[in-house]
Amino acid sequence: MIETTLMIRDDAPIGTISPRLYGHFAEHLGRCCYDGLWVGTKNAVVPTYNGFRKDVVDALKAMPVPLLRWPGGCYADHYHWRDGIGTAEQRAVRLGMSCGLQVEDDNSLGTHEFMALCRLLGAEPYLAGNMGSGSVQEMCDWVEYCNTRVNTNLARERTANGSAEPFDVVLWGVGNENWGCGGNYDAESYAREYRRYATMLRHVEPRAQLVACGHDDAWNLEFLKTNQRHLGLMDHFSIHRYWINGGTELDFSEEQYYTLLAEAEATEDFVRRTAEYIRESLGTNTHKVGIALDEWGVWHPEARSWGPDNELHRSPITYEQAGTMRDAVATAIALEGFHHQCDVLALANLAQIVNVLHAPVMTEGAAMWLTPTYYTLQMHTPHLGAMALKVDVTEGSSMPGHVNAAVTATASTGQHGKTVTLVNRHFSESASVRLAAGAVGQVVNAMLLASDSPRAVNSAQDPDCVKPVSLAVQADGAGQWRLELPAHSIATVVFG
Ligand code: AHR
């Protein structure tokens, strides 16, 4: 049994936790957009809200989804927005391409449908534009179509297609992974091309927040150097982080369990380092450039044909994988890092929202179930929009072979009161936690997400195998509380 003491530091506020840090990503890849979200208006199997699965939308709304990026991913750099507007007959049937898949794509989920989905979810839209196979003009037209209040041909077309009101999309990605699937640019040529796109897009929509494509340290430094005199043209710098070294989705060893958790934790370092490069590059320039971690999560070998352990585990690759309790613990660790970096991390999007990769929601025919990651995100809800507070581990043991504490926590104070989310990262040992919570009233809610095994999953057959339950929190002296955390578990306590 681990004995540990954690102290919430009321005197050490970090910054506001933007709801944008709890964003999601819907790509036209595998069964994410088509089948997972959109089944069309004539579907007889599942009830829909105008073509979007009702069960999925209701679950996502309750998660919640403050921000949604679409339509890709690698798909974005093949996407021509005009294919997805107008009547069903006007929609083009194209090759839907991303990550090596090729499918028949009828474009029935287009701009208007995506905006309707965002409205259903209460999500802010984030559109990824096509630099790879598109043009500056095509992207400018998409921005104008979505946002202009001037009575142009594009505005009239938008009205004819059902929306007199502009969509007012603020976030626009200028390409996606342009170092790879988005055109195999080198950093310098992308930086120059970005400048041209950003300049023209800003003319069309001065309120747009433009997201430039980043990558690894070398690319990021080169991009920032090339565009140092033009940093005002970017509002956010996109980086992606997938955790790929933890062995297979279900059959992982204890060592691989810790490897995955270490990768999740290292996400924060990548954000911190990228922020440092941006700070150095800005120098005395007061313009703000945030980091957009607009794809993150676990990518197991069953869902890819590259990277470590890539012998064919599943054929064909559908980009679907089982989401275990281990993945949920890794998620909570990453979110802790997001809170630490909330003054530089502007937005983050878990990849992806339904069925694909690190999905919180899964479907199979008429069945829908929620993964342990879903509950982890939901248990973080009180942190959204709240002020992040530092939490010190003042006493406690570390994980086998690691210097890091086994039990860590993130805390915030906001309209829900003071909230703390704790993670017991240990593979097999439970923990008895003393929490010095500072100035708080009573416990108003306390939930625990735990399972017998870190390999536990939910499924269509057993959708409730991993589910939050209430947690007992005992007063333990002035401002002190005690709670017990099983191995590999997550808990959220809200104090009034
Ligand atoms: O999320 C799957 C893919 O991962 C995206 O299409 C791409 O941006 C990244 O490589």
Side-chain angles (χ1 to χ4, degrees), residues 221-478:
L221 287 166
E222 187 62 31
F223 175 94
L224 291 166
K225 190 172 101 194
T226 310
N227 275 358
Q228 191 161 21
R229 289 191 304 109
H230 304 278
L231 293 177
L233 286 174
M234 71 193 272
D235 299 285
H236 305 292
F237 201 22
S238 153
I239 52 174
H240 293 170
R241 207 48 151 194
Y242 288 104
W243 315 322
I244 58 173
N245 289 301
T248 55
E249 57 185 12
L250 293 171
D251 190 21
F252 50 87
S253 64
E254 180 172 342
E255 194 188 340
Q256 288 170 324
Y257 167 90
Y258 284 119
T259 302
L260 186 82
L261 265 47
E263 274 191 283
E265 176 143 43
T267 308
E268 180 183 352
D269 264 342
F270 185 37
V271 171
R272 188 192 287 120
R273 207 166 58 241
T274 310
E276 195 48 48
Y277 297 156
I278 293 172
R279 225 182 338 264
E280 278 165 21
S281 187
L282 280 166
T284 55
N285 183 343
T286 54
H287 177 68
K288 269 188 104 70
V289 177
I291 292 170
L293 179 65
D294 50 17
E295 291 182 28
W296 68 272
V298 187
W299 196 331
H300 291 303
E302 286 83 352
R304 57 179 154 82
S305 53
W306 51 272
D309 198 9
N310 72 345
E311 77 196 52
L312 207 55
H313 288 274
R314 189 166 292 146
S315 180
I317 301 283
T318 59
Y319 296 91
E320 293 180 29
Q321 60 192 24
T324 60
M325 187 64 210
R326 170 178 72 156
D327 299 336
V329 172
T331 302
I333 291 171
L335 295 173
E336 245 180 57
F338 294 1
H339 291 188
H340 296 157
Q341 300 304 317
C342 66
D343 52 343
V344 291
L345 184 62
L347 59 100
N349 303 74
L350 177 65
Q352 299 193 2
I353 193 163
V354 184
N355 289 332
V356 164
L357 301 183
H358 195 160
V361 174
M362 302 292 291
T363 67
E364 193 58 71
M368 185 215 64
W369 66 99
L370 311 174
T371 65
T373 291
Y374 175 95
Y375 293 115
T376 305
L377 292 164
Q378 193 174 50
M379 284 164 62
H380 282 73
T381 309
H383 295 296
L384 274 68
M387 172 61 65
L389 301 172
K390 209 164 171 280
V391 180
D392 289 345
V393 181
T394 58
E395 178 201 347
S397 33
S398 47
M399 293 179 296
H402 294 257
V403 289
N404 297 340
V407 179
T408 57
T410 179
S412 68
T413 176
Q415 58 167 1
H416 297 280
K418 192 184 280 181
T419 303
V420 57
T421 299
L422 305 101
V423 191
N424 180 4
R425 306 165 177 216
H426 206 284
F427 185 81
S428 51
E429 271 188 51
S430 58
S432 181
V433 184
R434 173 177 296 172
L435 181 67
V440 291
Q442 287 309 300
V443 172
V444 292
N445 193 20
M447 299 302 285
L448 173 73
L449 188 69
S451 58
D452 292 345
S453 159
R455 303 179 183 96
V457 284
N458 293 334
S459 61
Q461 296 69 36
D462 191 4
D464 294 330
C465 174
V466 186
K467 228 183 152 162
V469 293
S470 17
L471 171 73
V473 181
Q474 312 294 342
D476 190 21

Side-chain angles (χ1 to χ4, degrees), residues 49 54 57 112 140 148 161 166 200 217 219 239 262 267 289 295 339 383 421 432 484:
Y49 293 115
K54 200 167 180 303
V57 168
H112 288 258
C140 284
T148 193
N161 288 332
M200 308 329 274
D217 291 354
W219 169 287
I239 52 174
T267 308
V289 177
E295 291 182 28
H339 291 188
H383 295 296
T421 299
S432 181
E484 314 298 322

Side-chain angles (χ1 to χ4, degrees), residues 25 27 29 73-74 98-99 176-177 240 242 295 299 352 357:
F25 172 40
E27 177 168 19
L29 173 64
C74 295
S98 179
C99 303
N176 169 78
E177 294 195 353
H240 293 170
Y242 288 104
E295 291 182 28
W299 196 331
Q352 299 193 2
L357 301 183

Side-chain angles (χ1 to χ4, degrees), residues 88-103:
E89 295 68 44
Q90 286 168 328
R91 308 270 170 126
V93 178
R94 299 261 186 233
L95 264 183
M97 285 177 280
S98 179
C99 303
L101 293 188
Q102 289 197 341
V103 294

Side-chain angles (χ1 to χ4, degrees), residues 56-304:
V56 171
V57 168
D58 290 345
L60 291 174
K61 211 169 154 180
M63 191 166 57
V65 182
L67 171 70
L68 189 56
R69 177 175 183 246
W70 176 83
C74 295
Y75 180 88
D77 281 294
H78 279 292
Y79 183 64
H80 300 290
W81 67 272
R82 280 201 155 280
D83 292 342
I85 56 168
T87 60
E89 295 68 44
Q90 286 168 328
R91 308 270 170 126
V93 178
R94 299 261 186 233
L95 264 183
M97 285 177 280
S98 179
C99 303
L101 293 188
Q102 289 197 341
V103 294
E104 182 185 314
D105 186 340
D106 69 2
N107 277 292
S108 51
L109 198 186
T111 302
H112 288 258
E113 290 75 22
F114 176 68
M115 294 302 161
L117 173 65
C118 288
R119 272 194 301 274
L120 282 170
L121 295 172
E124 178 187 2
Y126 169 13
L127 294 179
N130 177 350
M131 181 189 261
S133 67
S135 68
V136 183
Q137 189 58 54
E138 182 183 8
M139 194 167 166
C140 284
D141 286 350
W142 199 14
V143 174
E144 182 183 325
Y145 182 85
C146 287
N147 284 11
T148 193
R149 291 187 147 69
V150 182
N151 189 21
T152 63
N153 279 359
L154 285 168
R156 288 177 206 178
E157 203 176 350
R158 185 189 66 225
T159 305
N161 288 332
S163 189
E165 272 303 297
F167 297 128
D168 287 328
V169 179
V170 172
L171 282 165
W172 292 89
V174 183
N176 169 78
E177 294 195 353
N178 301 89
W179 44 267
C181 65
N184 273 311
Y185 285 83
D186 56 63
E188 193 187 330
S189 24
Y190 172 76
R192 292 183 197 287
E193 188 77 334
Y194 175 84
R195 233 143 71 188
R196 194 162 72 97
Y197 269 77
T199 305
M200 308 329 274
L201 290 167
R202 274 279 161 75
H203 295 160
V204 180
E205 176 53 285
R207 296 165 307 164
Q209 291 183 19
L210 301 177
V211 186
C213 165
H215 179 29
D216 56 14
D217 291 354
W219 169 287
N220 295 347
L221 287 166
E222 187 62 31
F223 175 94
L224 291 166
K225 190 172 101 194
T226 310
N227 275 358
Q228 191 161 21
R229 289 191 304 109
H230 304 278
L231 293 177
L233 286 174
M234 71 193 272
D235 299 285
H236 305 292
F237 201 22
S238 153
I239 52 174
H240 293 170
R241 207 48 151 194
Y242 288 104
W243 315 322
I244 58 173
N245 289 301
T248 55
E249 57 185 12
L250 293 171
D251 190 21
F252 50 87
S253 64
E254 180 172 342
E255 194 188 340
Q256 288 170 324
Y257 167 90
Y258 284 119
T259 302
L260 186 82
L261 265 47
E263 274 191 283
E265 176 143 43
T267 308
E268 180 183 352
D269 264 342
F270 185 37
V271 171
R272 188 192 287 120
R273 207 166 58 241
T274 310
E276 195 48 48
Y277 297 156
I278 293 172
R279 225 182 338 264
E280 278 165 21
S281 187
L282 280 166
T284 55
N285 183 343
T286 54
H287 177 68
K288 269 188 104 70
V289 177
I291 292 170
L293 179 65
D294 50 17
E295 291 182 28
W296 68 272
V298 187
W299 196 331
H300 291 303
E302 286 83 352
R304 57 179 154 82

